[in-house]
Amino acid sequence: MKKVNYLIALIIFALTMLLINGSGILISMMAAIGGLMFRGPNGLTDAYNYLMDNLNLYSALTYIPLFVLFGLWYYFAVTEKEGIKQSAARIRQNISPASILWMVIAAFALQHFITIIMTVINAAAPRLMEEYSEMVETSGLAEYSVMWALSTLILPPLTEETIFRGLILRYLRRAGACFIVANLIQAVLFGIFHMNLVQGIYTAFLGFILGYFAKQYNTLAAPMLLHALFNLFGTVVVDLENAFLPDSVLTALVLLSIPLLIFVFLMIHFRVGEKRRQSQIGQEEEV
């Protein structure tokens, strides 16, 4: 009977892909219909241009159905059973100022370590990197605004962590998979979710790290925070570094990311500067 949880995890992933793609198609169709109704044939071009000029809005709208559906799923499957007060107490117990510091350092180091992964991909498949760079340039990631914050720093971390580390990882563990296997599966699915080979490679790596944080801190608040910080460092901070730092310093930061990651994972593993958990209840069942 436990094996049915594998099917549930697969259904969650299938629904995720269906909704993220279906939402995009629906939004485009509604924009096209609205353009035709109000502007006639020229409205199609206007609708297309509007969406292209407001990609952060488009991204946020595609995430909302996922956020609502799987947020409710997680609430009724996990939070309600545990109790809101107990869930909040677990966050307070496991997330300390020291752990937040380690997450900040981890996000900074991870973002620069990704550069090494991208360099390897570029050497092996330069055309793929060229296509990826073109996609990023037109994605709206550098168009900083309130909508950018919603579509980059808030909705993706909340939604994706709930789906992949909150639900899929949980059901894989319930099915009997050991943590390493379950974490690897959800990480690969997380990479596939991004529907781009280059992005899929580094997000699968990131997904595995996020799963580790979910287990280590026994709360989704940890990977959500790390995910938001990673996105922040990958946009605002990287742009500032490229604008103000010489190439030699940028190279040093990339090389420094390896020992920095080793350092921060040791700090997290041994919970340096943090209070020891008063209870290990629920440790076997992933968040």
Side-chain angles (χ1 to χ4, degrees), residues 16-267:
T16 298
M17 298 302 292
L18 179 64
L19 280 176
I20 196 73
N21 288 288
S23 296
I25 294 171
L26 182 61
I27 292 167
S28 299
M29 289 179 60
M30 290 177 64
I33 292 171
L36 282 172
M37 289 177 61
F38 293 102
R39 297 292 304 275
N42 292 333
L44 284 175
T45 302
D46 292 342
Y48 174 80
N49 290 335
Y50 180 82
L51 289 178
M52 291 300 99
D53 291 339
N54 295 272
L55 286 173
N56 286 319
L57 172 62
Y58 176 81
S59 177
L61 290 174
T62 61
Y63 268 91
I64 288 174
L66 292 173
F67 177 72
V68 172
L69 173 62
F70 293 109
L72 289 173
W73 189 326
Y74 187 84
Y75 174 79
F76 288 112
V78 181
T79 306
E80 187 181 47
K81 291 181 179 180
E82 181 184 18
I84 295 177
K85 290 184 178 180
Q86 288 78 2
S87 296
R90 182 153 50 84
I91 294 174
R92 291 193 299 270
Q93 178 181 340
N94 293 332
I95 303 297
S96 67
S99 63
I100 293 174
L101 174 62
W102 303 142
M103 284 182 229
V104 171
I105 297 173
F108 180 82
L110 281 168
Q111 187 56 241
H112 290 84
F113 181 78
I114 293 299
T115 303
I116 299 176
I117 296 177
M118 303 286 271
T119 301
V120 173
I121 296 174
N122 186 50
R127 180 57 186 168
L128 284 178
M129 275 302 303
E130 183 180 338
E131 293 174 355
Y132 172 76
S133 298
E134 292 174 357
M135 181 195 73
V136 170
E137 288 175 3
T138 59
S139 66
L141 282 175
E143 298 173 5
Y144 303 123
S145 63
V146 173
M147 187 56 63
W148 167 84
L150 181 64
S151 65
T152 303
L153 304 181
I154 298 175
L155 280 175
L158 292 177
T159 305
E160 293 170 9
E161 295 314 309
T162 298
I163 294 170
F164 291 93
R165 267 61 70 180
L167 291 172
I168 291 179
L169 182 58
R170 173 180 290 270
Y171 283 113
L172 290 172
R173 294 287 280 132
R174 284 183 178 179
C178 68
F179 173 74
I180 295 295
V181 172
N183 198 31
L184 182 61
I185 293 173
Q186 68 81 18
V188 171
L189 294 178
F190 185 55
I192 295 172
F193 166 76
H194 288 83
M195 294 178 288
N196 177 279
L197 183 57
V198 173
Q199 194 175 13
I201 292 172
Y202 75 76
T203 53
F205 170 76
L206 176 64
F208 190 85
I209 301 299
L210 290 166
Y212 167 79
F213 272 74
K215 180 180 187 297
Q216 188 69 13
Y217 289 105
N218 199 29
T219 171
L220 275 185
M224 284 177 177
L225 177 57
L226 178 62
H227 194 153
L229 288 168
F230 179 85
N231 287 356
L232 176 65
F233 284 127
T235 50
V236 177
V237 175
V238 165
D239 282 349
L240 290 173
E241 288 178 350
N242 290 333
F244 296 105
L245 297 180
D247 290 343
S248 59
V249 175
L250 294 176
T251 301
L253 287 175
V254 171
L255 297 176
L256 183 63
S257 67
I258 298 174
L260 197 56
L261 278 177
I262 295 172
F263 166 78
V264 76
F265 282 123
L266 286 173
M267 297 298 102

